[in-house]
Amino acid sequence: MALCAVLKADERSLGLFIDRTTPEDREAATDPARVAVPGVSPSPSPVLIDRRTLLTTALPAASAAGLSSSLLWHLAAQSVELMGENSTGYANDTLASARRHLRKATTDYALTSDLPAAIAGALTTRALLAPLQRRGGLPLRETQELYVLQGATCLLLASVSHDFGESAAGMMHAEAAGHFAELADHSELAGWVNCTKAMVDLWRDRPAAALKHAARPTGRRSDSHRLRGLQVRALAQLGRRSDAMTCLALLEGARDSFGEVGELNDLGAMFTFPEGRQKYYSAVTYAILGECGTAEEYVLDLGYTEIPPVGAKAWPVSWALSRSHLALARLSSASTGGDPEAAADAVAPVLALPRGQRINQLAQVFEILGKRLNAPQFRTTAAATMLREQVHHFLSDTVQRGDGSN
């Protein structure tokens, strides 16, 4: 179907199945009145294109840009399946190429939040790895590398699925990643699996389940640091304020001691926990706990002003979520009784985000914001009324998917 769409042809013309043509079909194929011409709108009647016409017109017009890497590697995998002998001499180059594709996909995902591009990168990586896993017979080192890359790809798909609002699908990918972590006997990959599971459960309002995943930190790598940050956020969502504040103080005091570089750091920015994300976690936690002043300090310290951050350590979604949580904190501030004007200032630049970056988690925070604005003290306030309308428009213009987990 994809080839037909790109090449503007039908399955018969592409020869994708055996077709015994009739004399009438052959006559129609050579009739100039019924052959498609590039750049000319097709007639309402069915159009048949013979193979020669296809090769001389449609293919050059489509160009190589119309063929995705994932499709080409899928076809390569099929070719390998046709080989009679168990040849694995291509394994080293294939694993290296898979690692490069995955590194680019996870880094682009972290820096741009481009979900379709992340999916394409994950599918390309899977297409590279598929023939190796099906055929087997790899040495132990290459087999472990294969399992690690498969697991890391599952985690990328888990995060993207979660961002699309399909949390159950995301958890299924995470479970598969855990399976590969066990096969590879890879503690770091297992740590990132727990991070992903805790994140998914936090956002689908299951903080108790998230706390169970986050109670398993090991080592002093990035995955352990992030898991402790998720543990604090789960405690805050559960209303265990004292425990959350105690754990947060310990975590912030030990921040510099998490310096071990893990193997998965080489697989892209998604498998790191840079200082910016650490401070974002703290800002969100303080906002949930109602510590508006401290949340303000962290957001400012992040440099998350009215313009999304750029650079190797920037996460545009973290910028949007931190400002949205800051708006919630300003509405709930005990010292001011709630300040809708200040909340509106916090989310004003977020309202201008393109649709592609309005992930499901951001919509969830805006839903909470809308509910807070319906409180009695805000019903007659002009600033609250305007912000409530802006939130409603933002949500109505944001495609949300869900599995009953929001």
Side-chain angles (χ1 to χ4, degrees):
M1 291 174 65
L3 284 170
C4 289
V6 170
L7 301 177
K8 297 180 175 59
D10 57 19
E11 292 182 357
R12 176 184 296 175
S13 301
L14 294 178
L16 296 180
F17 58 85
I18 297 175
D19 180 26
R20 307 299 182 187
T21 59
T22 65
E24 291 78 11
D25 290 335
R26 288 191 291 273
E27 180 182 355
T30 58
D31 184 355
R34 300 183 63 185
V35 174
V37 179
V40 178
S41 300
S43 62
S45 59
V47 176
L48 299 175
I49 307 176
D50 62 25
R51 189 73 59 84
R52 178 171 297 180
T53 302
L54 173 69
L55 293 174
T56 57
T57 59
L59 278 176
S63 78
L67 300 176
S68 69
S69 295
S70 57
L71 171 62
L72 295 176
W73 278 105
H74 178 70
L75 295 173
Q78 289 183 333
S79 295
V80 170
E81 291 296 310
L82 298 175
M83 296 167 60
E85 68 278 6
N86 186 28
S87 174
T88 56
Y90 53 86
N92 277 327
D93 289 342
T94 302
L95 288 171
S97 183
R99 179 175 281 268
R100 287 194 301 272
H101 274 86
L102 184 59
R103 183 190 302 119
K104 183 179 186 306
T106 65
T107 300
D108 288 348
Y109 166 70
L111 301 186
T112 68
S113 303
D114 188 337
L115 303 186
I119 293 175
L123 293 179
T124 299
T125 305
R126 276 194 167 178
L128 282 159
L129 299 175
L132 295 180
Q133 185 164 347
R134 281 197 293 265
R135 295 183 68 83
L138 297 176
L140 179 61
R141 183 189 63 80
E142 292 178 352
T143 298
Q144 185 186 40
E145 168 84 347
L146 170 65
Y147 290 151
V148 168
L149 292 175
Q150 287 281 35
T153 304
C154 287
L155 290 183
L156 174 58
L157 289 170
S159 295
V160 173
S161 298
H162 168 60
D163 288 346
F164 267 120
E166 300 294 346
S167 298
M171 194 61 81
M172 291 168 67
H173 286 300
E175 289 288 350
H179 171 70
F180 285 115
E182 290 182 8
L183 290 176
D185 191 22
H186 203 282
S187 62
E188 185 184 358
L189 179 58
W192 286 109
V193 169
N194 288 329
C195 286
T196 303
K197 289 182 176 180
M199 175 194 67
V200 172
D201 276 333
L202 270 179
W203 279 103
R204 59 180 181 175
D205 200 22
R206 300 180 185 179
L211 193 58
K212 291 181 181 180
H213 299 307
R216 308 172 187 172
T218 58
R220 312 200 71 80
R221 300 179 305 259
S222 296
D223 57 298
S224 301
H225 197 180
R226 186 186 178 202
L227 204 57
R228 286 179 169 86
L230 290 163
Q231 181 182 40
V232 173
R233 289 174 61 181
L235 290 169
Q237 285 188 217
L238 287 168
R240 295 169 56 177
R241 180 184 179 84
S242 178
D243 291 339
M245 292 295 286
T246 299
C247 290
L248 184 55
L250 291 173
L251 181 62
E252 291 178 339
R255 179 174 290 159
D256 293 338
S257 64
F258 288 90
E260 294 183 13
V261 177
E263 178 188 343
L264 266 62
N265 284 34
D266 184 53
L267 292 183
M270 196 182 84
F271 297 101
T272 64
F273 193 50
E275 185 180 4
R277 293 211 80 201
Q278 296 168 28
K279 291 180 178 179
Y280 156 70
Y281 269 43
S282 295
V284 170
T285 302
Y286 281 119
I288 294 173
L289 294 171
E291 297 288 335
C292 184
T294 310
E296 295 262 10
E297 292 175 7
Y298 271 100
V299 172
L300 289 174
D301 194 26
L302 281 166
Y304 286 1
T305 56
E306 295 184 358
I307 302 174
V310 294
K313 296 182 179 181
W315 292 65
V317 169
S318 294
W319 166 82
L321 286 170
S322 68
R323 292 193 69 90
S324 302
H325 277 97
L326 180 58
L328 288 174
R330 288 175 176 179
L331 277 182
S332 306
S333 176
S335 60
T336 63
D339 189 343
E341 290 187 11
D345 288 340
V347 296
V350 181
L351 294 169
L353 275 178
R355 289 174 60 89
Q357 292 185 351
R358 298 182 186 184
I359 64 173
N360 193 63
Q361 297 93 300
L362 191 57
Q364 287 178 252
V365 179
F366 267 75
E367 286 178 347
I368 299 172
L369 187 61
K371 291 177 182 177
R372 296 270 179 91
L373 289 167
N374 284 325
Q377 67 267 33
F378 299 133
R379 288 177 183 169
T380 58
T381 305
T385 300
M386 180 176 294
L387 180 56
R388 189 163 49 244
E389 292 176 354
Q390 290 174 329
V391 168
H392 175 74
H393 179 72
F394 182 89
L395 289 172
S396 65
D397 197 38
T398 300
V399 176
Q400 296 184 68
R401 299 174 176 86
D403 48 20
S405 60
N406 291 349

